Amino acid sequence: MKKLLFFAAALFAAVSFSACSDDDDNNVNSNLLYGTWQEVHSSGYALENGQKVDEWDEVVREKSFYSFNSNGTGSYDNDAVEWDIRYTQSGNKLQMTCTDTQRDETFNYTWTIESLTETELVATEYSKSTEDGDVYEEFDTLVFKRVR
């Protein structure tokens, strides 16, 4: 009987420790995301068919804005393009489908929200697209300041 109690106590302890994970780090207050954000810094690299073709670390000088609404819609706007956005957020993951209606193109992006405050959003981004049989991948760290 003592062995059974010891085994039950050990099992309870193991389950208790495994239940205390870092999941809280993945919880992002969605309400802080709603609004308009201006991209101010970008650093990362791009691959074409698995080969690095570009690398950057720069202050973003063009006016690029992402807007997120509470209903899962939004927009991206800069001097050259305007996109409609549909997004879902789960914890710190933000999945976006961006549609350039002028060119009839769709792009999928996944952001991992690294930090989000009332005034600043920092996210890492991964995107992948295929064009004419070539696979393009982009890994980017983005910094945004809230404008609205």
Side-chain angles (χ1 to χ4, degrees):
M1 183 69 167
K2 285 184 182 179
K3 287 183 183 179
L4 182 60
L5 286 174
F6 177 77
F7 180 72
L11 184 61
F12 176 77
V15 169
S16 296
F17 284 120
S18 66
C20 297
S21 68
D22 292 336
D23 290 344
D24 292 339
D25 294 341
N26 293 331
N27 292 330
V28 173
N29 183 347
S30 297
N31 294 329
L32 289 177
L33 182 64
Y34 309 145
T36 301
W37 299 88
Q38 180 178 358
E39 186 177 358
V40 295
H41 189 265
S42 173
S43 60
Y45 61 96
L47 304 176
E48 181 177 339
N49 298 322
Q51 300 294 319
K52 188 180 281 188
V53 293
D54 196 9
E55 195 168 2
W56 59 91
D57 185 3
E58 60 194 17
V59 172
V60 176
R61 301 212 187 284
E62 86 178 359
K63 302 292 185 191
S64 297
F65 300 96
Y66 284 86
S67 294
F68 299 100
N69 304 314
S70 61
N71 64 356
T73 65
S75 63
Y76 170 75
D77 186 12
N78 71 21
D79 293 335
V81 299
E82 290 183 25
W83 294 346
D84 292 330
I85 296 176
R86 301 274 185 237
Y87 74 92
T88 58
Q89 180 189 352
S90 177
N92 68 340
K93 296 293 184 192
L94 185 66
Q95 298 284 334
M96 291 184 288
T97 299
C98 304
T99 304
D100 182 341
T101 54
Q102 295 172 336
R103 296 184 179 110
D104 194 31
E105 294 179 324
T106 300
F107 306 93
N108 293 306
Y109 295 96
T110 301
W111 286 4
T112 300
I113 298 172
E114 303 297 337
S115 66
L116 177 60
T117 67
E118 289 283 340
T119 58
E120 184 179 77
L121 165 62
V122 178
T124 52
E125 173 187 75
Y126 170 74
S127 63
K128 184 176 183 178
S129 62
T130 303
E131 185 177 317
D132 298 327
D134 293 318
V135 177
Y136 299 94
E137 294 176 278
E138 194 169 287
F139 303 85
D140 204 351
T141 298
L142 309 165
V143 179
F144 299 89
K145 298 293 180 194
R146 181 186 297 278
V147 295
R148 288 191 241 15

